[in-house]
Amino acid sequence: DPSTSLNIYTDAHRSHWITKKWMVQAQYSFTYNQNHSRQDFMTNGVEDNDNTYRNHRFNINHSLRIGQTINLTPLQLMPNVEASWIRTHLDYTRSSLDTTAVRRRLLITPSLRATLKLTKTIGFEVNYRFDTSLPDLFQTIGYRDLTNPLYISEGNPNLKDSHSHDISLRYNMVLAKSQTNISATIIHHTSDRNQVNALSYDPTTAVYTSRQENVKGSRSWEFRLNIDQALGDFVRLQNDFRLRDDRHY
């Protein structure tokens, strides 16, 4: 069955050196997405109204990002902050389910990159970013879909946003005599209120019920070691070692 989509994106950016060591960058972007889909089901030549659906949504995103580059030799700082205003509109129809929802949100996303050059061949780099993930708008509607009486789908108006923190520390060293580059990186990720699809079963009725839920956050650690060495003009030897530990709920 036909589905259509329309995507529009435009941006404008400007950078300016305030002083010899301080540059400010600004970027504005506008995004418009529209999606319309439908699915028609037929049973014995007759339209199956219980499964036929119409789904129409559009999303408008205004985003402004302010970034800076501050040179404090041998230290360089690059802080950024992005503000996004998002408006989402949803129309969904299926069987007796006919819902309309509108969401307006302002999201703030800060990040930081810092580099420290100890010598010409030895340096450190630190990166940090904070993100917010919104639940799917349809899943936040308090609906109850009984199209399939043995597998009921529910919305959850109590769904909350998820947040994540990502930080990494990288060490890099170059051995000029042996043409070897050595880098070691530690990465840490944490998140809260992760969104998962929870499934429950009632043995007395043999009915499954599915809905999105927030659960405890996750965390992960990762260590990477990379050794890149030139063996003459035409051969390179690369060794990559990674160790990772995850915890998810």
Side-chain angles (χ1 to χ4, degrees):
D1 286 316
S3 62
T4 60
S5 64
L6 174 65
N7 300 287
I8 299 174
Y9 174 82
T10 184
D11 67 19
H13 56 86
R14 178 178 173 82
S15 60
H16 180 69
W17 285 96
I18 306 299
T19 68
K20 292 182 179 180
K21 297 185 177 182
W22 180 27
M23 182 180 69
V24 177
Q25 300 170 307
Q27 179 179 357
Y28 165 78
S29 61
F30 169 80
T31 305
Y32 177 85
N33 306 107
Q34 179 174 269
N35 295 278
H36 179 79
S37 61
R38 75 182 193 189
Q39 188 77 46
D40 295 320
F41 289 89
M42 305 292 291
T43 301
N44 297 325
V46 179
E47 183 174 1
D48 184 352
N49 292 320
D50 286 338
N51 290 296
T52 296
Y53 72 83
R54 302 289 186 270
N55 186 4
H56 180 225
R57 71 168 65 201
F58 67 83
N59 184 82
I60 297 174
N61 187 338
H62 297 271
S63 180
L64 177 63
R65 184 177 68 87
I66 303 296
Q68 301 178 71
T69 299
I70 305 170
N71 290 321
L72 304 172
T73 309
L75 176 66
Q76 186 180 66
L77 300 174
M78 286 158 281
N80 290 272
V81 62
E82 182 174 354
S84 299
W85 185 84
I86 304 172
R87 182 178 186 270
T88 304
H89 182 97
L90 170 69
D91 284 312
Y92 184 88
T93 303
R94 181 181 181 186
S95 185
S96 60
L97 179 62
D98 189 353
T99 65
T100 299
V102 178
R103 178 169 63 193
R104 298 177 179 87
R105 291 296 308 274
L106 176 65
L107 303 180
I108 305 296
T109 304
S111 63
L112 172 67
R113 179 171 179 256
T115 61
L116 177 62
K117 200 78 170 179
L118 297 180
T119 67
K120 291 183 178 181
T121 59
I122 298 176
F124 288 90
E125 179 181 313
V126 175
N127 288 278
Y128 171 78
R129 182 179 175 88
F130 170 82
D131 273 306
T132 300
S133 298
L134 302 178
D136 184 85
L137 180 58
F138 180 65
Q139 297 298 333
T140 64
I141 301 172
Y143 73 89
R144 184 173 174 85
D145 189 350
L146 301 174
T147 304
N148 183 347
L150 297 179
Y151 191 96
I152 300 173
S153 299
E154 294 181 341
N156 184 358
N158 296 318
L159 272 180
K160 297 180 176 59
D161 303 343
S162 299
H163 306 98
S164 65
H165 301 265
D166 291 274
I167 186 169
S168 66
L169 173 63
R170 181 172 180 263
Y171 169 79
N172 188 76
M173 179 176 61
V174 177
L175 303 177
K177 291 184 179 181
S178 60
Q179 301 184 57
T180 303
N181 182 79
I182 301 173
S183 66
T185 307
I186 298 177
I187 303 172
H188 181 52
H189 169 85
T190 59
S191 64
D192 61 15
R193 297 193 301 230
N194 290 351
Q195 298 153 21
V196 301
N197 189 49
L199 189 66
S200 61
Y201 176 72
D202 187 346
T204 60
T205 60
V207 173
Y208 288 93
T209 303
S210 171
R211 60 183 280 167
Q212 290 283 310
E213 298 279 0
N214 291 112
V215 297
K216 290 183 179 180
S218 62
R219 63 120 177 110
S220 67
W221 288 93
E222 184 174 359
F223 173 74
R224 301 177 182 175
L225 177 64
N226 181 270
I227 301 175
D228 187 343
Q229 183 177 11
L231 301 177
D233 296 331
F234 304 103
V235 179
R236 300 193 68 88
L237 178 63
Q238 290 185 322
N239 295 277
D240 185 52
F241 172 78
R242 300 191 181 194
L243 181 65
R244 184 178 178 92
D245 176 68
D246 292 277
R247 176 173 293 178
H248 298 275
Y249 295 89

